[in-house]
Amino acid sequence: MKTPIKFILSFALLLLAAADIAAQELITNVYGRDVQSLNGKWDAIVDLYDQGRKNKIYLNRRPEGKTDFYEYSFDNGLRLDVPSDWNCQMPELKYYEGTVWYARRFDAPEQTGRRQFLYFGAVSYRCRVYLNGEEIGAHEGGFTPFEIEVTGRLRPEGNFLAVEVNNTRTTDAIPAMAFDWWNYGGITRDVMLVSVPDAFIRDYFIRLGKDSDDRIDADVQLAGAAAGTAVRIEIPELNVDRTVTAGATGTASASFRVRRLQRWSPADPKLYRVIVSTDRDRVEESIGFRNIRTEGEEIVLNGSPVFLKSISFHEEIPQRMGRAHSEADAVMLLSEAKALGCNMIRLAHYPQNEHIVRLAEKMGFLLWEEIPIWQGIDFANDPTREKAGRMIREMVTRDKNRCALTFWGVANETQPSGPRNAFLRHLIACCREIDDTRLIVAAFDLVRFDRQRQLFVMDDPFIGELDVVAINKYMGWYHPWPLTPDKAVWDVARGKPLIISEFGGEALYGQHGPADVASSWSEEYQEALYRDNLRMFENIPNLRGVSPWILFDFRSPFRFHPANQEGWNRKGLVSDQGYRKKAWYLMKAYYDKIKRR
Ligand code: GCB
C-alpha cells in the first residue's frame, strides 16, 4: 500500500515542478526597474554525487545541541563569482559536469504595497531555487531568464538563498548530448531582486507597425491593476503622449501615427526615450523603430534592400576561457565585430546576455538570435518540444522591444523528418504568437553539389516555411571543391533571400604553411579558403548576407588535435589571444567593398 501513495506523492511533486517551470512570466525590462543586485561572491559546494537535496543542505542548518553535527557547511568553503561560469574559476572545475550548490545571504528591507521577484538572467543548465529553506522554483535552459515571485517570503534581514545548479548533458535537453562549444555551468548571468508596485506594468511591446513607416503599435500588460486603469505612453522627442485604458485582463493597446520619425538602422542607430506609466508604476527605456521585411529575394530594411555583413561569436571571452557576462565583455566582443565592418551579428547558438543585445543595438548591429536547436535534438520527444517552445518564448519575450532584433532563428543544421517539421512549426508558432514583425530563419547544412546539373542544390521542403533561408557550407574545409570556385553556381531557395550563415576553416594564429594544404592549419590556408568562398558567393544569385564562422577561436571539447587545437575550435578570424589572422583582413576588405556599392 505504501508504494502507490509514495508514487502518487512523487507524481504530484513532479507536476508541481512542471507547473513551476511552465508558469514563467517575465517582467519586461528588469534593468529599468527598481532592483537590488545579488551579484558578487557566493558560497558554493560541489555535489558530484547529488547528495545535497537528499540531505536538505538548502536548510543551512548548524549544530545546536552537543551531539549535533552536519556534514556540510556553506561557511568558510569555496566561493564562486556570480555571474560567471564555474569552469573558469578553478582548474578542478574546468571539465566539471554535475551539480554545484550556490548560496548567499541578503537583506530585503520590508516594502509595503510592493511585489518582489528574484530574477536570474541565466543559469546553466537547470536549477532549483530555495529561499529560507523552501524550494520556490525551478528552471531548465541555460540561456534565457526566469523569475520567481518572493512577495511575502522575504525577511528584512538574513535571507538565505540557495541555488542547486546542474549542467549534466541529457538526451532530452536543448542542446542535447554533444555540441561544438564548452558546456559551461553556473549562474552565468546577473541575479537581482526586482521590486515593483503591487499593481505594475508587467510587459509592453512597442514597435513600428509591420507595414508602416509612421505608425507605432503599443501593447501594455498590467498585473494586479483594476480594469479601467489609465496607461500613459510617452515618447517626448516625437511629441507622443497617449493615454489608453486597460481592459478586464489588464491589457491596453494603442496605435498612433508619428511625424518625422528617424528610423533605426546600422548607419544611424537612433533610439527614443519611451516612458510607460500608470498612477502606480513607471518604466522607461530606449526603443528604436524600423521596418524589416522580405520582398522576393530581397531583405528590405526601412524600404531599402540591405546586404547583411554578419559575423558570429559565442558568449565567451577566449582569453578568460569563460562565459562573457558583463557590459565590458560586450564591449570587447562587439568592438571587434565593428572593426571587421559588420552590420549584423548572428548570436551563436543561443540567446546571449542582455548586455550584448542592448549594446549591439546602440552600436548599430542587426541581430539574429536563436535557441540551441543544434544537431542531435530529440524531435520526437514531446517534453523536449515543450521545453523548446518555452525557451523560444523566453527569448522573444525578453528581446521583442529591441529593434535590432531582425531574425528569430529556429534551428541550426537539422535533417528533414516529420517530427522535425512539427517541432520547428511549433517554434515558429511560439515566436509569431508574441511577435509577428521579425523574420523567421533557420540554418541548414544540406546544400550538395548535383553532378548532373553541375549546380549546388538543396532538397529540404521546410525552407518554404521560412522568411529567409540560411546555409552553413564549409567548402574547402569539410567539403572538397568539386569544381573551381568561379564555376560553383548555386540554385538554392530561389525566390527567397539566402544568407550564408557559416563558412570557414581552421588556422592556428602565427602558423604559416602552404595555402593548398588543409592540414597545415596555416593562416595561408584559411586565407585562401576565404578567397575561394568569396569568389563562389558571386555565383549565388539570391545571396543577401554572409556570416563567416567565426569571429574568435572558441573552446570546444570536439577539438582534439594536440598541437593545433588543444580543445579550441580554430575557425576564428581572431585568435584566442585576440590577434587577427590573415583571413580577417580579406573579410574586412570584402565588407568594405560592399559598403561602397
Ligand atoms: C557548424 C556548426 C557550428 C560549428 C561549426 C564547425 O556547422 O553550426 O556550431 O562550430 O560547424 O566549426 O564545425
Side-chain angles (χ1 to χ4, degrees), residues 180 349 374 412-413 472 474 478 502 549 554 559 569 571:
D180 192 17
H349 275 299
W374 192 96
N412 182 67
E413 302 191 344
N472 300 345
Y474 285 88
Y478 298 127
E502 290 180 27
W549 189 255
F554 62 96
R559 312 294 165 179
N569 183 317
K571 294 192 186 70

Side-chain angles (χ1 to χ4, degrees), residues 126-145:
R126 56 180 76 74
C127 68
R128 287 165 189 262
V129 181
Y130 307 83
L131 179 67
N132 297 329
E134 253 184 89
E135 182 175 344
I136 56 165
H139 186 259
E140 179 171 349
F143 304 101
T144 45

Side-chain angles (χ1 to χ4, degrees), residues 23 163 215 282 347:
V163 186
R215 194 194 72 242
R282 183 180 192 279
L347 295 169

Side-chain angles (χ1 to χ4, degrees), residues 570-585:
R570 297 283 184 202
K571 294 192 186 70
L573 290 171
V574 179
S575 78
D576 55 301
Q577 293 304 309
Y579 291 99
R580 294 170 183 167
K581 304 179 193 173
K582 281 175 180 291
W584 186 94
Y585 295 92

Side-chain angles (χ1 to χ4, degrees), residues 119-350:
Y119 168 89
F120 292 83
V123 177
S124 185
Y125 166 81
R126 56 180 76 74
C127 68
R128 287 165 189 262
V129 181
Y130 307 83
L131 179 67
N132 297 329
E134 253 184 89
E135 182 175 344
I136 56 165
H139 186 259
E140 179 171 349
F143 304 101
T144 45
F146 62 95
E147 288 160 8
I148 303 165
E149 179 153 17
V150 290
T151 314
R153 291 176 185 259
L154 291 168
R155 301 173 185 153
E157 281 175 11
N159 291 285
F160 183 74
L161 176 63
V163 186
E164 179 188 2
V165 184
N166 175 281
N167 71 336
T168 306
R169 286 166 294 116
T170 58
T171 50
D172 64 342
I174 305 166
M177 293 303 287
F179 37 92
D180 192 17
W181 65 87
W182 208 258
N183 183 22
Y184 290 112
I187 303 180
T188 52
R189 296 189 191 157
D190 295 328
V191 185
M192 300 183 247
L193 181 64
V194 186
S195 165
V196 290
D198 53 8
F200 70 101
I201 300 161
R202 175 182 285 287
D203 186 21
Y204 50 85
F205 184 18
I206 300 174
R207 71 278 182 196
L208 200 53
K210 200 173 171 195
D211 301 308
S212 166
D213 56 11
D214 67 351
R215 194 194 72 242
I216 291 178
D217 294 335
D219 293 299
V220 180
Q221 179 67 51
L222 305 180
T229 301
V231 178
R232 187 169 171 197
I233 300 160
E234 295 163 87
I235 312 176
E237 220 184 317
L238 289 171
N239 293 320
V240 170
D241 187 348
R242 280 293 185 121
T243 301
V244 275
T245 28
T249 56
T251 311
S253 297
S255 281
F256 40 86
R257 304 244 168 229
V258 288
R259 288 213 277 156
R260 283 189 285 280
L261 176 70
Q262 200 180 327
R263 283 180 292 181
W264 181 99
S265 71
D268 180 15
K270 169 73 186 162
L271 300 176
Y272 289 91
R273 198 172 137 236
V274 176
I275 305 140
V276 182
S277 59
T278 63
D279 56 343
R280 308 288 303 281
D281 198 9
R282 183 180 192 279
V283 203
E284 177 174 332
E285 75 173 316
S286 298
I287 294 184
F289 302 97
R290 54 98 195 94
N291 304 101
I292 192 78
R293 61 187 166 83
T294 61
E295 201 177 293
E297 294 182 343
E298 298 299 340
I299 297 171
V300 182
L301 175 69
N302 296 333
S304 307
V306 64
F307 188 89
L308 305 171
K309 297 180 273 182
S310 178
I311 191 71
S312 275
F313 52 71
H314 276 287
E315 189 190 49
E316 181 182 72
I317 300 297
Q319 291 90 338
R320 193 168 70 218
M321 292 201 247
R323 281 244 170 272
H325 49 74
S326 65
E327 201 170 341
D329 291 344
V331 170
M332 188 298 260
L333 297 168
L334 293 166
S335 309
E336 196 56 40
K338 205 34 140 199
L340 187 63
C342 297
N343 62 9
M344 174 167 144
I345 316 272
R346 177 188 178 202
L347 295 169
H349 275 299
Y350 36 78

Side-chain angles (χ1 to χ4, degrees), residues 408 427-436 438-440 465-467:
W408 299 129
L427 296 186
I428 295 174
C430 289
C431 289
R432 294 216 165 113
E433 207 177 274
I434 306 171
D435 166 34
D436 66 351
R438 265 64 177 216
L439 305 177
I440 304 282
E465 313 205 17
L466 302 166
D467 296 313

Side-chain angles (χ1 to χ4, degrees), residues 36-150:
Q36 173 184 336
S37 170
L38 296 178
N39 291 346
K41 290 273 183 207
W42 288 46
D43 300 317
I45 292 174
V46 178
D47 183 9
L48 182 63
Y49 288 175
D50 279 313
Q51 295 300 299
R53 196 179 328 144
K54 202 170 70 190
N55 291 312
K56 301 193 173 150
I57 69 173
Y58 50 84
L59 294 177
N60 194 32
R61 282 174 299 198
R62 288 172 173 136
E64 281 163 16
K66 282 194 173 171
T67 55
D68 287 351
F69 65 89
Y70 296 104
E71 294 188 82
Y72 73 89
S73 169
F74 281 100
D75 302 330
N76 309 316
L78 177 63
R79 305 257 288 160
L80 291 175
D81 284 319
V82 170
S84 183
D85 56 276
W86 61 57
N87 313 71
C88 73
Q89 298 190 52
M90 266 178 84
E92 292 82 350
L93 294 178
K94 182 172 171 182
Y95 295 98
Y96 186 69
E97 295 186 315
T99 297
V100 173
W101 288 81
Y102 284 74
R104 67 161 291 156
R105 284 165 200 78
F106 66 96
D107 297 340
E110 213 169 307
Q111 305 192 340
T112 35
R114 294 186 74 82
R115 290 171 69 177
Q116 282 149 309
F117 295 81
L118 274 174
Y119 168 89
F120 292 83
V123 177
S124 185
Y125 166 81
R126 56 180 76 74
C127 68
R128 287 165 189 262
V129 181
Y130 307 83
L131 179 67
N132 297 329
E134 253 184 89
E135 182 175 344
I136 56 165
H139 186 259
E140 179 171 349
F143 304 101
T144 45
F146 62 95
E147 288 160 8
I148 303 165
E149 179 153 17
V150 290

